[in-house]
Amino acid sequence: MGKVTGFLEIDRQEAKYQPAADRIRHFREFVLPMTEQEVRKQAARCMDCGIPFCHGPTGCPVHNQIPDWNDLVYQGNWEEAIRNLLSTNNFPEWTGRVCPAPCEEACTLNLEDVPVTIKNIEQAIADKAWELGFMRPQPAEVKTDKRVAIIGSGPSGLAAAQQLARAGHEVHVYERESKPGGLMRYGIPDFKIEKIHVDRRIAQLEGEGVTFHCGVNVGIDKPVAELLADYDAVLYCGGSEKPRPAGIPGGDLHGVYDAMPYLVQQNRRIGGENIESVAWPAEPISAAGQHVVVVGGGDTASDCVGTAFRQGAVRVTQLDIRPRPPEKEDKLTVWPYWATKMRTSTSQAEGAVREFQVATLEFVGENGKLTGVKCCRVDESRKPVPGTEFIIKADLAFIAIGFAGPNPTGVLSELEGKLAVTVDRRNSTNVVANDVDYRTNIDKLFAAGDVRRGQSLVVWAIREGRQAARAIDEYLMGSSVLPR
């Protein structure tokens, strides 16, 4: 490493944020980037570990070569740093913004609670690469005569599209929405990732020969069977969109919504699109002047919290059935794995009231309209504690307790019906395909991303898209030079 004693001499420094009172007035990103010199100093803290857990199976799903590009950043070699980073991750400016950074949990310095700021450095490398013009289209020099169709333009579909296009195949991406991007465009709020970061990647992919067919709802507008007949391979990269059933009485009251339609609607509004679409028909939802309750404790719930504050909510309460986690984990028991400990998202830090070990018993209302959420305390087994019932005033409630598989209509409906694809019915309706060749039981049909593994991180979707691309390339050509 360039600075062997950097971790002893330099303190951990994280990127700062705009004050909460300022950032809730807009939907733009609010992270204040570090200077180039600050980023280089933070990269110098990398220890050159004998076993770098940060990019092993416990750290980075795409196996980013983190120590290598940390050293390159410290040396000021940004071009080689981005080349190294792109060798494992197609979209580092996305993961640098929205990934929860399991790599930092696995960092050796996390044993002392001062891990290398890997996520900030990754974002800085990608942003610097765009600034310096290193992110150029890389069209294949030699074209094959093979054609591949990809259903879905989320991170897994786009990663696969880029890899296959660069391998020389003719790639066509089918997207039911009016613009490509999937979860990155419509699911994640702009205050976490502005859509310019999606738009310029789409432009790059088009420059590499990828063709996008938007507004095409495969399975309804265009049969999957037709794609299988017209293309040499088809990759299904749909998202995990079906909300996990909450089973809470009163869920039909006006004012009670699933989380994702709310987030999609706001993203479409900011993007200047009609808030309704084929996939997300909805009446306008606004938290302005409202008392809001969010049921769930994950990232989607947190995104609802931040969106509600920016729309002008009076009060936002977040309900989590899990016990309040400890402030600090036992390092020797947990490290290098992701630890259960108290974490506060930027949205929660904007003023949310967080209730732990609370069950949602019922949505209550008058004349068909939500007025409150009836709750109670639960024990360690999540059983209600008698006599602890209480009601939280609510004009709006969002259910954000996870997803149970892909949308049952469209693609999945045809696959299960006419084509008889194998699905996993234990916990969801995910399409069955292994993580070696990503092939389904239907000839020429592959599956990757959330539709195969269930709801997961963007970085896992990118990994699956890359690996599926290699599997398809090998299937079409007999061998492949694409990385796994």
Side-chain angles (χ1 to χ4, degrees), residues 32-90:
L32 304 176
M34 292 188 287
T35 66
E36 179 177 330
Q37 189 58 37
E38 288 171 334
V39 173
R40 292 176 62 179
K41 287 179 64 177
Q42 290 305 299
R45 297 184 64 244
C46 191
M47 295 175 67
D48 192 20
C49 303
I51 300 177
F53 288 94
C54 59
H55 68 77
T58 59
C60 181
V62 294
H63 302 302
N64 281 338
Q65 300 171 94
I66 295 165
D68 293 26
W69 45 253
N70 273 333
D71 183 47
L72 290 165
V73 168
Y74 172 69
Q75 302 294 345
N77 191 344
W78 294 95
E79 185 170 9
E80 188 59 34
I82 191 59
R83 186 179 293 114
N84 185 298
L85 182 49
L86 290 175
S87 71
T88 57
N89 184 354
N90 293 71

Side-chain angles (χ1 to χ4, degrees), residues 29 31 38 67 73 85 145 151-152 201 203 210 251 311 385 448 476:
E29 292 179 20
V31 177
E38 288 171 334
V73 168
L85 182 49
D145 61 350
I151 305 170
R201 278 298 185 180
V210 176
Q311 289 182 340
V385 177
L476 295 176

Side-chain angles (χ1 to χ4, degrees), residues 432-463:
V432 173
N434 64 43
D435 60 358
V436 176
D437 61 18
Y438 290 87
R439 296 179 68 172
T440 70
N441 63 304
I442 298 173
D443 186 39
K444 298 203 294 185
L445 180 66
F446 299 74
D450 286 4
V451 76
R452 189 200 72 85
R453 67 176 289 119
Q455 66 175 53
S456 191
L457 304 177
V458 169
V459 69
W460 272 108
I462 293 172
R463 169 179 171 160

Side-chain angles (χ1 to χ4, degrees), residues 175-335:
E175 169 58 49
R176 74 180 178 206
E177 296 293 340
S178 55
K179 295 180 181 180
L183 171 76
M184 301 306 303
R185 182 181 298 280
Y186 293 107
I188 300 176
D190 279 58
F191 56 80
K192 291 177 71 171
I193 180 167
E194 293 180 29
K195 303 317 175 227
I196 178 62
H197 304 295
V198 179
D199 291 336
R200 58 189 181 185
R201 278 298 185 180
I202 299 303
Q204 182 192 42
L205 284 162
E206 289 175 332
E208 293 172 348
V210 176
T211 302
F212 290 94
H213 304 270
C214 294
V216 179
N217 196 350
V218 175
I220 296 177
D221 302 329
K222 191 175 187 68
V224 180
E226 187 177 315
L227 295 180
L228 289 168
D230 292 345
Y231 291 89
D232 298 295
V234 177
L235 175 61
Y236 181 23
C237 290
S240 185
E241 301 172 294
K242 185 173 70 175
R244 195 175 301 282
I248 303 171
D252 58 346
L253 288 170
H254 186 269
V256 180
Y257 303 93
D258 287 314
M260 195 51 70
Y262 173 57
L263 297 175
V264 170
Q265 182 181 116
Q266 183 57 33
N267 280 336
R268 294 180 70 89
R269 186 179 288 121
I270 293 173
E273 298 186 62
N274 189 322
I275 62 172
E276 294 190 15
S277 70
V278 174
W280 305 101
E283 61 182 300
I285 310 169
S286 175
Q290 307 290 293
H291 288 76
V292 178
V293 172
V294 180
V295 180
D299 288 339
T300 303
S302 185
D303 291 346
C304 288
V305 170
T307 300
F309 277 130
R310 282 159 180 76
Q311 289 182 340
V314 173
R315 178 185 174 92
V316 180
T317 305
Q318 185 175 358
L319 307 180
D320 195 333
I321 199 170
R322 299 170 297 184
R324 184 184 181 91
E327 294 294 327
K328 182 176 168 57
E329 75 273 30
D330 181 349
K331 299 289 187 183
L332 297 182
T333 302
V334 179
W335 182 87

Side-chain angles (χ1 to χ4, degrees), residues 412-428:
L412 189 61
S413 177
E414 182 184 350
L415 288 179
E416 282 195 278
K418 296 178 180 179
L419 300 176
V421 75
T422 303
V423 297
D424 181 356
R425 297 189 179 280
R426 289 174 298 174
N427 301 306
S428 61

